[in-house]
Amino acid sequence: MTLAQQANYPLPTPAMQAIIDKDTSRFFGDAPADAGPLATDLSPALTPAAIDKAMRKVADWQLPRTMRHLDKIWTSAVLFAGFMAASESSGDPKYRDAMLAMANQFEWKLRTPYPNADDIAVAQTYLELYFQQPSPERIAATRTELDSLINLKTLRPGDERQPWWWCDALFMAPPVWAKMYKATGERKYLDYVHTQWRVTYDLLYDQEEHLYARDASYKSKREANGKKIFWSRGEGWVMGGLARTLDYIPADDPQRPFYIQQLQQMAAKIAQIQGPDGQWHAGLLDPATYPLPETSGASLFVFGMAYGVNHGYLDAKTYRPVIERAWAGLLKNVYADGRLGGIQQTGAEPAFYLPSSSYNYGVGGFLLAAAELKKMAK
């Protein structure tokens, strides 16, 4: 019996349920009381065919739900990145074609003036589509917005917070800036990444635990067991952001080792605290308080570690067994219809949710993981 079939987990508090209800009303996903049976047709074998089957099953369940309620918000942006990866990995153009339709519907624009990291995340997909067919209008609006931000020392005029003041931002923003560097050849976009990532690192990276505080307010907070609060998805965002940014940093860039070292340190810590079932929990250092597996963080861990193995940053002999257990654990949360459960609702810290809980950003992480894992399997 899997954790997802057991009833011995804490239910969301009223405050947590309010967030779940809000996320559902915004079409990020949902958490039905009964999501039906779990999938029995998926194999955890690390073969291209088995991985591809799981990836398509989850992607095909999600795609029609997504296209009915398109949004430029970060939750959707992460999923769009996953669909792009799934299309490239599977060779099926339908996922990419859906993303092209999305971009055209939004006229290749971002959400707001002075966009924060969450608001520019959708441009990761705009830029990937641009690389496939370089057409200036595909990146024009994004470039204008980045140029409005590049000389700001703070989040925006009147807001004194640093641009990437929360760790999630390291997934959302740096890949956009790094891809813009590739698209334009203008070094200023990559220099911005180096400057701002270092600022966030200095503020949030815990040199003892080799994990990131979600934001500065969490540096003094503790779990019920007295340990520091490190949130599964928050750490996943950073590992995923490292993988998606490193691709665009030149091999001879003197800053490159800074990012590789973080990936190595974080991967070592994440591997150390992996559960016997191959899974992780919303509160990484307090699994007893959060007994359900959490799959959005786990998906991003698999993505980051597989990326590290594929590029020679992580030792394959050490990490392949970790990744293999993690992938098997993830598949235990896939339902017969393709729903990926075990995804915590939006927030800033560990919380309670139902096993059926499924949201678009977590599916995006899963698709990124599957695509990278398939490269490793090959």
Side-chain angles (χ1 to χ4, degrees), residues 222-242:
R222 296 293 181 267
E223 295 281 18
N225 65 0
K227 294 189 177 180
K228 296 175 182 176
I229 296 177
F230 292 110
W231 179 39
S232 172
R233 188 159 65 241
E235 308 312 320
W237 288 136
V238 181
M239 287 186 68
L242 286 164

Side-chain angles (χ1 to χ4, degrees), residues 59 62-63 66 79-87 95-96 99 367:
Q62 183 69 50
L63 187 61
T66 297
L79 176 61
F80 299 159
F83 278 138
M84 292 296 289
S87 188
Y95 308 119
R96 182 210 58 219
M99 296 303 92
L367 299 180

Side-chain angles (χ1 to χ4, degrees), residues 56-357:
R56 287 172 176 268
K57 185 181 186 76
V58 172
D60 289 347
W61 179 84
Q62 183 69 50
L63 187 61
R65 288 164 173 77
T66 297
M67 298 310 289
R68 283 197 295 267
H69 303 288
L70 287 172
D71 197 325
K72 287 180 281 190
I73 198 168
W74 68 270
T75 58
S76 297
V78 179
L79 176 61
F80 299 159
F83 278 138
M84 292 296 289
S87 188
E88 180 185 5
S89 178
S90 67
D92 193 332
K94 72 180 176 184
Y95 308 119
R96 182 210 58 219
D97 291 348
M99 296 303 92
L100 185 58
M102 173 278 297
N104 281 319
Q105 178 176 321
F106 291 135
E107 300 178 322
W108 307 85
K109 293 178 180 176
L110 307 184
R111 290 190 79 218
T112 59
Y114 294 115
N116 67 17
D118 287 348
D119 293 329
I120 72 169
V122 68
Q124 294 189 36
T125 295
Y126 295 167
L127 279 147
E128 288 178 26
L129 291 165
Y130 170 84
F131 293 145
Q132 293 183 6
Q133 185 182 325
S135 184
E137 73 274 5
R138 294 188 171 190
I139 62 170
T142 299
R143 192 173 186 180
T144 297
E145 295 293 351
L146 297 191
D147 287 344
S148 77
L149 299 173
I150 200 161
N151 292 319
L152 290 180
K153 302 298 184 191
T154 62
L155 188 65
R156 57 173 61 90
D159 189 328
E160 293 304 307
R161 290 175 296 178
Q162 63 195 55
W164 302 339
W165 58 267
W166 71 116
C167 72
D168 314 31
L170 297 179
F171 180 94
M172 307 299 164
V176 175
W177 290 85
K179 289 171 195 279
M180 189 62 75
Y181 160 67
K182 178 185 176 182
T184 64
E186 291 195 37
R187 178 76 198 192
K188 65 181 183 180
Y189 297 113
L190 188 58
D191 288 342
Y192 183 90
V193 174
H194 292 336
T195 298
Q196 296 303 337
W197 194 305
R198 182 72 70 165
V199 170
T200 302
Y201 171 89
D202 288 344
L203 179 69
L204 301 181
Y205 192 63
D206 189 308
Q207 297 289 350
E208 294 176 356
E209 299 288 355
H210 290 160
L211 297 170
Y212 274 77
R214 192 271 174 178
D215 59 61
S217 73
Y218 283 88
K219 293 165 80 170
S220 61
K221 294 180 181 178
R222 296 293 181 267
E223 295 281 18
N225 65 0
K227 294 189 177 180
K228 296 175 182 176
I229 296 177
F230 292 110
W231 179 39
S232 172
R233 188 159 65 241
E235 308 312 320
W237 288 136
V238 181
M239 287 186 68
L242 286 164
R244 286 180 67 78
T245 302
L246 268 164
D247 265 349
Y248 299 92
I249 301 175
D252 61 352
D253 190 310
Q255 295 297 317
R256 190 175 171 82
F258 166 73
Y259 301 94
I260 294 172
Q261 183 185 53
Q262 279 178 77
L263 183 61
Q264 291 169 337
Q265 289 181 346
M266 293 185 74
K269 179 66 177 188
I270 292 301
Q272 178 193 333
I273 58 176
Q274 184 182 36
D277 60 355
Q279 304 189 81
W280 291 271
H281 303 261
L284 287 176
L285 304 188
D286 190 5
T289 296
Y290 306 95
L292 283 181
E294 204 291 306
T295 59
S296 63
S299 293
L300 292 162
F301 298 156
V302 170
F303 170 53
M305 286 190 281
Y307 177 90
V309 169
N310 288 342
H311 290 79
Y313 307 140
L314 299 177
D315 177 60
K317 187 185 291 186
T318 301
Y319 284 94
R320 189 182 172 102
V322 177
I323 294 166
E324 197 163 3
R325 288 192 299 271
W327 183 244
L330 278 170
L331 295 187
K332 291 175 183 174
N333 296 276
V334 178
Y335 287 78
D337 60 0
R339 167 189 292 269
L340 174 66
I343 301 171
Q344 187 192 317
Q345 61 273 15
T346 61
E349 62 187 11
F352 306 139
Y353 45 87
L354 300 183
S356 64
S357 180

